Amino acid sequence: MRRLWLLPALFGFAVTALAQAPSQVQLNGMLGSRAALLIIDGEPRTLAVGATASGVKLVALEDGRAIIESGGRRQTLQLGAAPARIQASATQARQITMPAGPGGHYTPIGSINGQFTSFMVDTGATSVAISQVEADKLGLRYQQGHLIVTHTANGSVPAYQILLRSIRIADVEVRDVEAIVVPAHLPHVLLGNSFLSRFQMRRENDVMTLELRH
């Protein structure tokens, strides 16, 4: 008899949880890289990175942006931008949409091998390029890669060629991506053609869309 009552009770709890899933989230303030003020369906909530409230998890903060996760989907919020609508993803995502940032550059936040970083789209780069400083932060063992020489405007520069297990931006993940690690200072990880060639690219006004090739 207890089992007959337990299942309806659990089912009722699940329905309640789904009904309370948020529909809109806005980034309204930041406390450095540690916490953020989110407006979740009109209610202000202060969340530390890694914490969850009202079905929204704050994953990361960087450069006036926050990565949140809700309903099995990750989204990037811009400080002061209009509220983002939260929609659960029923199928594997295949499309990345990026608005242009300062200077007309596309600088999404994502992850390499599960570690968060910031990217900049560079259609003129042959492969993904990472500075040694950033590679160290990401825990990449680039010294075990293949030592090569790259040619830049400043002359020949030694670099390490490696294979990244994964690059993830928004809900789209690409595996086994070739990259180089260079000693030069780079403010972002450059998304070159070893990543971009996996997609069909189009631009409309200031928005770039990348869609995975079949």
Side-chain angles (χ1 to χ4, degrees), residues 116-173:
F116 284 96
T117 189
S118 62
F119 298 95
M120 185 172 73
V121 174
D122 186 351
T123 57
T126 302
S127 65
V128 172
I130 310 169
S131 70
Q132 287 186 2
V133 172
E134 186 66 15
D136 289 333
K137 291 180 182 178
L138 295 170
L140 301 178
R141 298 179 179 178
Y142 57 89
Q143 296 91 342
Q144 299 177 5
H146 180 57
L147 184 61
I148 62 173
V149 175
T150 61
H151 300 284
T152 70
N154 296 322
S156 298
V157 177
Y160 292 91
Q161 189 175 51
I162 61 174
L163 192 66
L164 301 175
R165 186 175 69 250
S166 73
I167 292 180
R168 181 185 179 103
I169 298 176
D171 294 315
V172 179
E173 183 180 36

Side-chain angles (χ1 to χ4, degrees), residues 29-37 46-51 58-63 65-66:
M30 297 173 60
L31 298 175
S33 59
R34 301 168 304 179
L37 174 61
T46 300
L47 283 183
V49 172
L58 179 60
V59 178
L61 289 170
E62 182 178 330
D63 296 334
R65 294 175 292 185

Side-chain angles (χ1 to χ4, degrees), residues 67-102:
I67 296 177
I68 62 168
E69 185 175 283
S70 180
R73 185 174 185 178
R74 289 187 177 183
Q75 292 180 250
T76 300
L77 306 178
Q78 189 76 36
L79 184 63
R85 292 188 176 275
I86 301 297
Q87 297 177 344
S89 179
T91 59
Q92 181 181 4
R94 300 185 58 85
Q95 184 172 288
I96 302 170
T97 301
M98 299 174 287

